[in-house]
Amino acid sequence: MIQLYCGDGKGKTTAAVGAAVRAAGRGRFVLFAQFMKGQESGELFLLRNLDQIRVLRSDCVFPFYRDMTKGQKKELRRRHDRMLEEIGRALSEKEADFAVLDEITHACRLEMVDMRLLEQVLDLGKGTEREIVLTGRRPPPRLVEISDYISEIENIRHPFAQGICARVGVER
């Protein structure tokens, strides 16, 4: 099935990490892929040490999307599409049976992934023992339409509104 964790609140990636750890704890092989994220965040240090979880992300750090050159955007999209191809291959060849596509909605909205390729990957999760988790704000209507679970995380209050930046070990 396909799960979608969306909304403007904090906790989408955290929920996806929890789902990945739960799946790994039950013997499933997890592919945890991060899109549109440059800096390392705390969960990656732990996930990389779990035998049942493989982390997949760009090996090159890009600036925020708004600060990227046209060439950087083209390169990041190429890397994202390669990640999707790898996820599809791993699911097809049963190297993974649980996949997290963290911040994929952001990549979709900014046209930083090939939507046809993404849909091919998501088709691998339909009607099988495979599970695919999608995260991000403002998902495109197509992702909402095909998701089996949708959890929306609402922002009621966040320290960022008071000028407090992301804190190590809490938000990153």
Side-chain angles (χ1 to χ4, degrees), residues 79-99:
R79 288 171 185 259
H80 283 168
D81 287 344
R82 279 200 343 236
M83 287 169 54
L84 285 175
E85 289 168 356
E86 175 60 18
I87 294 163
R89 189 199 60 73
L91 290 170
S92 293
E93 296 178 12
K94 299 185 179 176
E95 290 177 12
D97 54 5
F98 193 103

Side-chain angles (χ1 to χ4, degrees), residues 119-137:
E119 286 207 41
Q120 290 172 2
V121 169
L122 296 178
D123 282 346
L124 294 170
K126 287 295 197 180
T128 67
E129 293 298 315
R130 297 179 194 102
E131 199 80 13
I132 300 176
V133 175
L134 313 173
T135 74
R137 298 171 188 253

Side-chain angles (χ1 to χ4, degrees), residues 4-53:
L4 174 60
Y5 304 155
C6 59
D8 63 355
K10 176 190 178 323
K12 297 174 291 294
T13 297
T14 304
V17 168
V21 169
R22 177 180 286 157
R26 291 294 188 169
R28 298 188 78 173
F29 292 96
V30 178
L31 188 55
F32 191 93
Q34 285 193 317
F35 295 82
M36 303 298 297
K37 289 189 174 178
Q39 291 185 334
E40 295 270 322
S41 53
E43 69 273 6
L44 298 177
F45 301 117
L46 178 63
L47 293 178
R48 285 187 177 124
N49 287 315
L50 299 175
D51 291 336
Q52 300 288 112
I53 298 179

Side-chain angles (χ1 to χ4, degrees), residues 65 68-78 112:
Y65 179 82
M68 284 184 202
T69 66
K70 195 174 194 175
Q72 287 173 320
K73 290 175 183 176
K74 184 177 180 181
E75 176 61 18
L76 184 57
R77 179 175 169 144
R78 187 182 69 75
M112 296 302 291

